[in-house]
């Protein structure tokens, strides 16, 4: 089953205290498990909060629009936990999410010049930190892969066994557009950018095209779409 949110991606109202974004697009099934709470089924327009663990069922895809209009897309079989998110109005001050398993693609909105705006995707073995770029992180078994489509990503590789004192030390690798970095235990491989493929790649392409169209809409049209979405949700 597919859920499309036509107006959500560029016309979100200001978020609640802990809210960091909303579900912009969902294919298949996905859930959010808030800290200390039970799992809840997600749908188009569902709010995402700090502390949520998101899970996308096999065969599905999930697109999130964060408060600063950065985009995260999770592939089927992925789990991601939102550890930290701070916004000043619609501007990002910090965001950090932990990819437990699977694949996440991110298009990060550039911050206002000179403004601090951390954006990290962490795994058991690495931290991928960016300021404004498009990239993908995959976790499969003991391997972490970072694909950079455009921009620059700094990947801090943890050394030693995860959770040990030695794991606090790290080696920083710079990965530029068109490159892939593969981390497997102590080994590091640099390859050509691979990027999203198959059904996941198609889902991302549709998400990007919808965002671009909506960003070109006049404000009054976006407001009307938002009202239509709210009416449909209230009628359920």
């Amino acid at each position: 089953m597919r859920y499309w949110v036509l107006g959500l991606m560029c016309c979100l109202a200001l978020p609640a205290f802990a809210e960091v974004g909303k579900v912009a697009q969902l294919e298949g099934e996905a859930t959010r498990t808030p800290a200390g709470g039970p799992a809840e089924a997600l749908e188009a327009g569902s709010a995402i909060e700090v502390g949520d663990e998101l899970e996308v069922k096999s065969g599905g895809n999930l697109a999130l629009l964060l408060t600063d209009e950065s985009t995260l897309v999770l592939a089927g079989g992925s789990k991601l936990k939102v550890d930290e998110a701070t916004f000043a109005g619609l501007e990002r001050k910090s965001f950090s999410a932990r990819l437990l398993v699977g694949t996440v693609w991110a298009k990060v909105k550039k911050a206002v010049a000179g403004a601090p705006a951390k954006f990290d995707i962490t795994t058991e073995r690495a931290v991928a930190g960016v300021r404004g770029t498009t990239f993908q992180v995959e976790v499969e078994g003991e391997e972490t892969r970072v694909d950079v489509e455009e921009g620059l990503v700094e990947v801090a590789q943890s050394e030693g066994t995860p959770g040990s004192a030695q794991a606090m030390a790290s080696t920083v690798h710079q990965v530029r557009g068109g490159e892939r970095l593969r981390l497997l235990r102590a080994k590091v491989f640099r390859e050509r950018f691979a990027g999203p493929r198959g059904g996941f790649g198609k889902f991302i392409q549709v998400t990007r095209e919808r965002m671009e169209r909506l960003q070109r809409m006049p404000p009054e049209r976006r407001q009307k779409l938002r009202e239509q979405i709210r009416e449909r949700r209230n009628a359920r």
Side-chain angles (χ1 to χ4, degrees), residues 107-205:
K107 184 174 180 60
V108 183
K109 183 178 179 181
K110 291 183 179 180
V112 176
K118 181 182 80 169
F119 191 105
D120 291 342
I121 299 294
T122 70
T123 71
E124 189 176 49
R125 296 188 176 277
V127 178
V130 305
R131 295 297 178 267
T133 188
T134 305
F135 72 112
Q136 175 178 298
V137 179
E138 298 177 72
V139 172
E140 184 176 357
E142 295 187 346
E143 182 175 358
T144 293
R145 297 183 287 271
V146 180
D147 281 305
V148 181
E149 184 175 333
E150 59 184 12
L152 173 68
V153 175
E154 289 190 344
V155 179
Q157 177 191 9
S158 299
E159 298 175 350
T161 304
S164 67
Q166 291 82 2
M168 297 298 292
S170 63
T171 300
V172 178
H173 307 275
Q174 291 195 339
V175 191
R176 301 183 182 280
E179 293 184 328
R180 159 181 274 190
L181 191 73
R182 292 176 54 218
L183 306 173
L184 180 58
R185 295 185 179 179
K187 297 180 180 179
V188 179
F189 305 91
R190 283 189 182 270
E191 302 173 349
R192 284 188 175 183
F193 166 76
R197 296 180 179 179
F200 184 53
K202 292 178 181 178
F203 183 84
I204 289 172
Q205 185 59 35

Side-chain angles (χ1 to χ4, degrees), residues 45-93:
S46 293
I48 304 301
E49 300 180 349
V50 174
D52 282 357
E53 182 175 309
L54 309 177
E55 179 177 2
V56 185
K57 305 301 182 182
S58 179
N61 293 294
L62 173 69
L64 307 176
L65 183 69
L66 303 183
T67 299
D68 70 336
E69 294 189 350
S70 293
T71 306
L72 290 179
V73 183
L74 290 167
S78 299
K79 291 183 180 181
L80 179 132
K81 184 173 182 181
V82 181
D83 289 325
E84 175 189 354
T86 305
F87 299 92
L90 299 179
E91 291 295 326
R92 179 183 75 255
K93 297 183 69 176

